[in-house]
Amino acid sequence: MIKLYSFSPSMGVPCPSPFPIKLAVFMQLAGIDYEVVYENNPGKGPKGKIPFIEDQGQLIADSHLIIRHLRDTHIAAGKAHDPDAGLSEQRKAQTLLMQKMLDEHLYWAIVYARWVDPRFKADTGKLLFASMPPLVRNIVFALASRGIAKSLQAQGTGRHEQNEIYRMGCEDIDALATLLGEQDYLFGEQPHSIDAVAFSYVINLLDTPQDVELNRHAQAKENLQAYNRRMKERFYPDFL
Ligand SMILES: N[C@@H](CCC(=O)N[C@@H](CS)C(=O)NCC(=O)O)C(=O)O
């Protein structure tokens, strides 16, 4: 059985990182058996990041490449179902665009809110590393937040003003909510891989406790609230 290495649940969500949630939902949609292994040290992964999977002794990192691997092996061999079977090429292109907007853009605004915004930073340490003794937690948090602030600078988001970062993040949330509209799932009545990606962000925006502008913006959208509930009923009933 595939092992999915994920951060342990915290902040009220199954994982504070969207990427393991994306994979868990994708595998459920595809009918692939997996077990979640909690690993809070990204250094254990082959690329120094969470998530990664172990499939028949092979370690594979990166949620996009993992899904590619699952498609090329389990799905191609007919052992699992393609969640996007029957979708048009246009729908598949929209899936890729949505994934890139969320993983490469909105993601960084969320990272900024949690790790750099002075209103939430200290709280993030307490929420994420709740089980650690305060002294250890402070050291781990200081090291991690320094590294993340550097990444935000290098990636570019960290060079913007706070209001610019949140405004751009809210634009992404608007695009997601507009595409969803009144539908049950992003492409209609059934969930597809685009929903695995979208939900991993929606749950992190709606169900985490910090009162960030991004979270409030998403929480104000009734269709995202209903979507979050619908997806949790189907894929994460323990988090309803
Ligand atoms: N492109 C990767 C992104 C994974 C990622 O950024 N993981 C973060 C947590 S959200 C991480 O492990 N960061 C640790 C580090 O950079 O040291 C994917 O899709 O899996």
Side-chain angles (χ1 to χ4, degrees):
M1 191 192 301
I2 290 181
K3 287 185 179 161
L4 167 59
Y5 290 84
S6 162
F7 294 121
S8 43
S10 65
M11 300 177 109
V13 290
C15 180
S17 162
F19 306 104
I21 297 178
K22 181 208 298 187
L23 289 176
V25 172
F26 182 89
M27 288 195 277
Q28 288 187 52
L29 279 171
I32 296 173
D33 284 340
Y34 68 95
E35 66 170 307
V36 178
V37 179
Y38 296 133
E39 175 55 73
N40 292 317
N41 177 3
K44 294 276 174 68
K47 293 186 180 171
K49 286 191 187 259
I50 297 287
F52 58 98
I53 64 161
E54 187 182 334
D55 187 11
Q56 298 189 329
Q58 192 187 358
L59 294 183
I60 305 160
D62 189 280
S63 60
H64 186 84
L65 294 177
I66 292 167
I67 288 176
R68 165 73 43 241
H69 163 84
L70 297 173
R71 287 190 183 284
D72 289 347
T73 54
H74 298 253
I75 293 172
K79 289 186 281 179
H81 165 76
D82 178 0
D84 295 336
L87 284 186
S88 66
E89 290 308 309
Q90 193 181 26
R91 287 300 203 200
K92 290 180 186 172
Q94 286 170 347
T95 301
L96 187 64
L97 293 173
M98 175 64 74
Q99 185 211 318
K100 295 305 169 200
M101 177 186 81
L102 296 176
D103 287 353
E104 309 296 342
H105 194 252
L106 180 60
Y107 169 74
W108 290 104
I110 296 173
V111 170
Y112 171 88
R114 289 182 181 171
W115 292 88
V116 176
D117 188 327
R119 293 171 299 164
F120 308 113
K121 195 175 149 168
D123 194 41
T124 299
K126 287 189 199 135
L127 290 167
L128 287 183
F129 308 123
S131 60
M132 292 180 182
L135 201 66
V136 181
R137 181 205 298 154
N138 290 346
I139 296 168
V140 171
F141 181 74
L143 288 172
S145 61
R146 205 171 305 147
I148 289 169
K150 268 193 199 159
S151 301
L152 275 159
Q153 278 294 313
Q155 187 268 344
T157 298
R159 297 167 196 233
H160 299 309
E161 299 298 328
Q162 185 168 294
N163 66 323
E164 294 171 333
I165 296 172
Y166 290 149
R167 184 148 187 203
M168 287 192 284
C170 288
E171 287 168 359
D172 296 345
I173 293 166
D174 287 341
L176 168 56
T178 301
L179 193 65
L180 177 64
E182 297 307 312
Q183 306 173 100
D184 282 356
Y185 302 101
L186 278 152
F187 291 153
E189 291 173 6
Q190 293 302 326
H192 295 86
S193 71
I194 191 170
D195 295 290
V197 184
F199 169 67
S200 68
Y201 285 87
V202 170
I203 190 172
N204 260 286
L205 290 165
L206 266 57
D207 289 359
T208 51
Q210 291 167 316
D211 193 27
V212 181
E213 285 82 336
L214 296 170
N215 298 32
R216 248 183 283 136
H217 193 74
Q219 285 157 2
K221 296 190 183 291
E222 279 177 25
N223 66 341
L224 292 187
Q225 292 278 8
Y227 177 73
N228 192 37
R229 247 189 329 274
R230 199 173 294 126
M231 288 294 287
K232 285 195 288 186
E233 275 165 10
R234 199 155 174 163
F235 300 100
Y236 279 103
D238 291 351
F239 283 81
L240 274 168

